[in-house]
Amino acid sequence: MIGQPIPRLDGPAKVTGAAPYAADQAVPNLLHAVIVTAAIPAGRVTAIDDTEALRERGVIRVLTQSDLPRLNRADAPMMAQTLIPMQSDEIRHEGQPVAIVLGETLEAAEAGAHRARVRYEPAKPRLPVGAEWEEIDQVAVAPKQGGFLFFEPTFAKGDPGAGLAAGDRRFEAAYLQPSRHHNPMEPSATLAVWEGDNLTLYDATQHVYGVQRVVATVLGIPPERVRVISSHTGGGFGVKGWIWPHEILAPVAAKVVGRPVKLVLTRSQMYSMLGYQPRTVQKVALGSDAAGRLTAVTHDVVNLTAV
């Protein structure tokens, strides 16, 4: 009934600390993964020296792009970005994964990651500056099929310029929204367990079927061989509705070393390895006649994104 309280079934478990999140999961023979990230915004990796990292007690392996299999780059709905890191020596952004340190304990893996030495050949990054962000392409583009439409879209556009000119009243305004990062209480985390050709992922996600489909597509295996378990999710705000590179790197690392791998992003990596709500500039114009009937509406948007 309206107005009646509805108890949350998971409430007691969460407030008492009994709810198991992805990072809380544990299986026998587990390895902890820590990602070494790029310290430059553009360029390429020329060498990774793992000598000191492997001397750290408890560090088992340091994986680089030469250790990982080549993955299927085909786009899949819910895949957050087209770039799959550690598939080449190219660097497209600061904080991009360039190596994975695997340790018997999280502390060992963290210490090993700090001792890995990466050499770079920097390149000049492409940066959006000043007025370039406000330049709006006036060419109308029809909606694309991106896997989220359940029908064939139709697209038509009138003559907004004529409509605005014909109106008795005209209103124009520009609205700016700065970039905003998602920062849920629970960081993104994945535990990958292979049993033969079957993969189980304990994942911090809002969309288990999206993870199943993307991971299966990238790895080139049937979706029915991928099982995704998300018992509880400690906040998401949409960032856990998409599938990010760490959810691919964990099962790949586990396959390479033949042991389960748990990968938990640090709080700082939540800013550099996941997406965010991008900076947008929206320009809106309304035209109307003297009676208040609209003669034209235009809505142009510049959305910050990668290339």
Side-chain angles (χ1 to χ4, degrees):
M1 295 177 60
I2 295 177
Q4 295 299 314
I6 300 177
R8 288 188 54 165
L9 297 180
D10 60 353
K14 287 189 172 181
V15 299
T16 59
Y21 294 89
D24 298 322
Q25 305 291 342
V27 295
N29 209 26
L30 172 70
L31 286 176
H32 296 265
V34 172
I35 295 178
V36 179
T37 56
I40 62 172
R44 68 184 188 91
V45 175
T46 58
I48 297 179
D49 184 355
D50 60 8
T51 307
E52 292 300 317
L54 291 171
R55 285 177 181 166
E56 188 67 39
R57 184 176 179 181
V59 171
I60 302 301
R61 186 97 179 257
V62 178
L63 299 177
T64 66
Q65 62 96 5
S66 60
D67 298 305
L68 303 191
R70 300 306 94 176
L71 302 173
N72 181 9
R73 291 174 178 263
D75 291 343
M78 304 312 297
M79 189 169 180
Q81 60 186 56
T82 56
L83 172 68
I84 302 177
M86 296 183 63
Q87 292 290 284
S88 72
D89 60 7
E90 181 186 11
I91 295 174
R92 293 193 186 177
H93 66 87
E94 185 178 354
Q96 177 181 318
V98 296
I100 303 172
V101 178
L102 300 172
E104 297 286 0
T105 65
L106 176 59
E107 292 77 11
E110 288 175 335
H114 282 297
R115 300 179 71 175
R117 298 292 175 259
V118 185
R119 290 198 292 273
Y120 307 97
E121 182 181 291
K124 185 177 180 181
R126 295 180 62 181
L127 301 174
V129 233
E132 293 178 4
W133 283 9
E134 277 67 42
E135 291 176 2
I136 293 179
D137 186 355
Q138 298 291 340
V139 177
V141 180
K144 296 180 180 179
Q145 281 283 12
F148 299 100
L149 297 175
F150 300 99
F151 55 88
E152 186 65 30
T154 57
F155 178 73
K157 182 179 180 181
D159 188 346
L164 290 173
D168 295 295
R169 300 287 187 273
R170 180 169 177 166
F171 172 82
E172 293 182 82
Y175 304 91
L176 184 145
Q177 175 183 297
S179 296
R180 297 182 296 173
H181 284 265
H182 311 270
N183 210 334
M185 181 171 61
E186 177 202 20
S188 293
T190 301
L191 168 57
V193 184
W194 287 93
E195 295 176 303
D197 293 329
N198 297 314
L199 171 65
T200 298
L201 287 176
Y202 298 89
D203 195 36
T205 180
Q206 296 168 274
H207 191 3
V208 292
Y209 292 107
V211 176
Q212 180 192 48
R213 182 169 178 179
V214 170
V215 171
T217 299
V218 172
L219 298 182
I221 61 178
E224 56 268 23
R225 291 187 180 176
V226 180
R227 183 188 183 200
V228 182
I229 301 173
S230 182
S231 302
H232 298 277
T233 302
F237 312 112
V239 73
K240 292 176 184 172
W242 296 85
I243 289 72
W244 301 95
H246 70 278
E247 292 164 294
I248 297 169
L249 294 177
V252 171
K255 192 70 170 178
V256 169
V257 298
R259 292 177 61 177
V261 167
K262 182 192 289 188
L263 174 54
V264 182
L265 298 190
T266 65
R267 185 57 63 183
S268 62
Q269 288 171 346
M270 294 288 291
Y271 289 89
S272 62
M273 289 178 52
L274 303 179
Y276 53 92
Q277 296 175 4
R279 179 189 193 276
T280 61
V281 178
Q282 305 187 54
K283 292 186 177 181
V284 179
L286 304 176
S288 74
D289 60 19
R293 290 185 293 265
L294 288 173
T295 58
V297 177
T298 66
H299 185 185
D300 297 305
V301 182
V302 171
N303 186 87
L304 178 63
T305 187
V307 293

